[in-house]
């Protein structure tokens, strides 16, 4: 089945700086890659997603890049703000192992230092 | 207001007891999912259902059971066979089985007494 690795597990950046979180996936058939933000004790919320027919997508301060050949995708947050502090999860959707849901990375705890 | 409702928010299970977590959606979505989240871990898929009266095992289905008798409801039972049930359980749905964002409920936190 699909396996998603996410790095780093913790990322601390100064307010206003950029943050980059990287994920790799194993199933070359995966074709949908969402990113979720989760605040403590709350539901994950979709912040951006990308499909395998594009290499980059941007939404204001957030961008995602996808390299299908290398099987990795990254989340970029520019001009970070205190409210960006949360746990971020990448995920991949494929058809490996018979499961048709998302396979998630283990998360990155993003800390924005004032 | 459309969305996914999970209940209860907190649940306690006694040794040898089965407990059922509720998940209801009014989004008219065909597909529904159950995930388990442990501290420091990502979400892991327990069961999913693409359509009424049909469901499939995910990656960690042992010790759990589900039903999908109605489109809007996808309850999860944590059976006594699940020896380590303490976790945060999240229900999600998508319009259909295509590549679309999953909408999550607020979760149920299950603990052992």
């Amino acid at each position: 089945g699909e396996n998603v690795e996410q790095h780093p597990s913790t990322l601390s950046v100064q307010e206003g700086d950029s943050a980059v979180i990287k994920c790799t996936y194993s199933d070359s058939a995966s074709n949908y890659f969402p990113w979720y933000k989760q605040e403590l004790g709350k539901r994950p919320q979709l912040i951006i997603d990308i499909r395998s027919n594009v290499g980059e997508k941007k939404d204001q301060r957030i961008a995602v890049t996808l390299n299908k050949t290398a099987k990795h995708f990254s989340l970029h947050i520019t001009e970070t703000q205190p409210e960006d502090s949360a746990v971020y999860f990448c995920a991949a959707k494929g058809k490996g192992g018979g499961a048709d849901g998302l396979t998630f990375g283990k998360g990155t705890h993003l800390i924005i230092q004032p | 207001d459309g969305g996914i409702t999970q209940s209860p928010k907190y649940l306690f299970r006694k040794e040898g007891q089965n407990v059922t977590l509720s998940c209801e959606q009014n989004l008219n979505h065909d597909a529904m999912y159950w995930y388990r989240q442990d501290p420091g871990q990502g979400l892991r898929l327990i069961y999913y259902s693409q359509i009424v009266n049909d469901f499939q095992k995910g990656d960690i289905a042992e010790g759990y059971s589900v039903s999908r008798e109605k489109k809007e409801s996808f309850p999860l039972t944590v059976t006594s066979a699940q020896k380590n049930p303490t976790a945060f359980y999240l229900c999600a749905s998508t319009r259909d089985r295509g590549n679309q964002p999953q909408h999550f409920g607020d979760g149920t936190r299950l603990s052992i007494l």
Side-chain angles (χ1 to χ4, degrees), chain A residues 55-106:
Chain A
E56 184 173 359
K57 183 176 179 181
K58 190 173 182 181
D59 182 5
Q60 299 182 335
R61 295 187 297 111
I62 294 173
V64 57
T65 58
L66 172 64
N67 183 327
K68 285 190 294 182
T69 302
K71 290 189 281 188
H72 67 70
F73 57 113
S74 300
L75 177 72
H76 304 253
I77 305 174
T78 59
E79 300 172 19
T80 53
Q81 301 168 3
E83 53 265 36
D84 294 331
S85 293
V87 179
Y88 291 80
F89 292 97
C90 62
K93 185 173 188 292
K95 299 190 188 313
D100 210 18
L102 293 170
T103 300
F104 284 82
K106 292 188 177 181

Side-chain angles (χ1 to χ4, degrees), chain B residues 88-112:
Chain B
F88 189 47
Y89 291 86
L90 286 157
C91 179
S93 71
T94 55
R95 189 179 68 225
D96 55 42
R97 61 182 297 161
N99 290 337
Q100 297 148 22
Q102 294 198 355
H103 299 262
F104 285 89
D106 284 329
T108 293
R109 191 166 298 279
L110 176 62
S111 302
I112 296 296

